[in-house]
């Protein structure tokens, strides 16, 4: 994933604010849950899904993995 050079501190409840620019680029909408996962872990999940569903569209993979279609493109480069 692209390094933006931004750092955000945790608040006293352990929360972090994801800047709007990053939320927009990742397709995260207000109120949606976010699950942090390593790129390699997601790439392995994508590889398995691509074997199980070879005719699926990129949007379907994105929905199943709960990531943006742009993220699917990035993960495919890791495979």
């Amino acid at each position: 994933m692209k390094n933006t050079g931004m750092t955000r501190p945790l608040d006293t409840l352990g929360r972090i604010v994801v800047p709007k620019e990053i939320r927009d680029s990742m397709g995260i909408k207000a109120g949606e849950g976010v699950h942090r996962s390593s790129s390699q872990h997601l790439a392995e999940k994508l590889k398995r899904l691509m074997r199980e569903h070879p005719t699926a569209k990129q949007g379907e993979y994105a929905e199943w993995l709960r990531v943006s279609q742009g993220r699917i493109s990035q993960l495919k480069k890791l495979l």
Side-chain angles (χ1 to χ4, degrees):
M1 185 176 272
K2 181 179 173 185
N3 182 358
T4 64
M6 294 183 199
T7 14
R8 295 289 185 242
L10 293 175
D11 70 7
T12 56
L13 296 175
R15 299 174 298 194
I16 189 168
V17 173
V18 178
K20 183 172 182 353
E21 299 84 16
I22 294 179
R23 291 191 318 265
D24 289 346
S25 71
M26 296 178 72
I28 300 170
K29 297 190 179 28
E32 284 186 339
V34 176
H35 176 78
R36 186 197 169 274
S37 184
S38 72
S39 294
Q40 191 58 43
H41 181 70
L42 279 175
E44 290 300 319
K45 284 183 171 183
L46 177 59
K47 185 189 276 187
R48 181 177 45 83
L49 284 172
M50 290 173 72
R51 277 194 313 265
E52 293 172 1
H53 307 280
T55 60
K57 304 277 188 230
Q58 187 161 304
E60 292 173 301
Y61 294 133
E63 185 178 330
W64 294 331
L65 292 175
R66 297 183 182 164
V67 298
S68 69
Q69 288 188 41
R71 185 72 174 123
I72 295 297
S73 294
Q74 293 173 336
L75 291 170
K76 282 183 174 181
K77 293 176 185 176
L78 294 174
L79 299 177

